[in-house]
Amino acid sequence: YPFRIEIPRADCFGLALYSRLPFEGEPVIDLGMGLPPVVIQKLALPGGQKVTFVLVHTLPPVSRGDFLTDKLIIRRLSTILRHSTDNFIVAGDFNATPFSFLYRRFVDWTGVRNVAWGRGLERSWNAQNSFQRLTLDHLFIRGTPEVVSFRRLGDIGSDHFPFLVQIALSPK
């Protein structure tokens, strides 16, 4: 992948974006002091279309402080999406099920669509324990992106399952 952004960290909140498509402009990485990084990067598609790709990993909500941090991340990310007319693909470990408060707020505030709706909510975490699996990882789209295919892949040694999603951009 000739285009890449890597944000290594000693904890589990490092992010990486690898692309065959060229980047346009500088990425947004920081939503504020003390918050985990995000990646917000515009990609230039053949034919002149553009899509903004967002990677996010919120904190597990194990304390009130973590919940408030996640709420701040979601609010700041939602503000960026709300004030843009770009096509968006938003992916990541939201540490929230589709029935949680922060998930519903993010969808309401941004107008994104979860690519899993209508295809079955695949439980993405805990890959090592089939009795404690939750749908925490999400891929959202907004604008002209359309899902061509969507499937959860097998265990790769992570605590999360990978997904293979093919997305096409419809002409405006």
Side-chain angles (χ1 to χ4, degrees):
Y1 296 93
F3 306 97
R4 58 183 61 206
I5 299 169
E6 295 175 324
I7 308 168
R9 289 176 50 126
D11 59 17
C12 61
F13 296 97
L15 296 172
L17 174 61
Y18 301 99
S19 176
R20 292 184 181 108
L21 301 170
F23 295 154
E24 184 173 285
E26 290 298 313
V28 173
I29 304 289
D30 187 8
L31 292 181
M33 188 183 330
L35 299 178
V38 298
V39 173
I40 304 173
Q41 179 63 62
K42 191 171 288 197
L43 306 175
L45 284 76
Q49 281 189 296
K50 296 178 183 13
V51 64
T52 300
F53 198 93
V54 179
L55 289 174
V56 62
H57 186 182
T58 63
L59 302 175
V62 295
S63 71
R64 178 160 173 74
D66 292 342
F67 174 79
L68 293 174
T69 297
D70 288 350
K71 187 175 179 184
L72 184 58
I73 294 167
I74 294 301
R75 286 182 67 100
R76 290 184 179 175
L77 189 56
S78 296
T79 299
I80 292 168
L81 269 70
R82 259 197 330 265
H83 292 288
S84 174
T85 59
D86 290 354
N87 292 308
F88 275 95
I89 299 171
V90 182
D93 178 355
F94 280 74
N95 276 304
T97 70
F99 313 102
S100 71
F101 170 80
L102 287 179
Y103 176 99
R104 289 191 317 269
R105 288 294 177 137
F106 181 68
V107 170
D108 290 346
W109 288 340
T110 62
V112 294
R113 302 180 315 273
N114 190 324
V115 302
W117 288 112
R119 294 174 174 80
L121 290 175
E122 294 283 356
R123 296 175 299 158
S124 56
W125 177 91
N126 178 343
Q128 280 77 46
N129 185 335
S130 61
F131 295 108
Q132 290 183 328
R133 289 195 177 148
L134 298 170
T135 304
L136 301 181
D137 302 282
H138 304 285
L139 182 69
F140 299 100
I141 54 177
R142 191 185 78 190
T144 62
E146 295 294 332
V147 178
V148 176
S149 64
F150 171 85
R151 66 185 173 110
R152 187 183 81 182
L153 302 177
D155 185 0
I156 59 168
S158 170
D159 59 336
H160 293 260
F161 287 103
F163 287 86
L164 180 60
V165 182
Q166 184 179 359
I167 297 174
L169 247 58
S170 306
K172 287 187 176 178

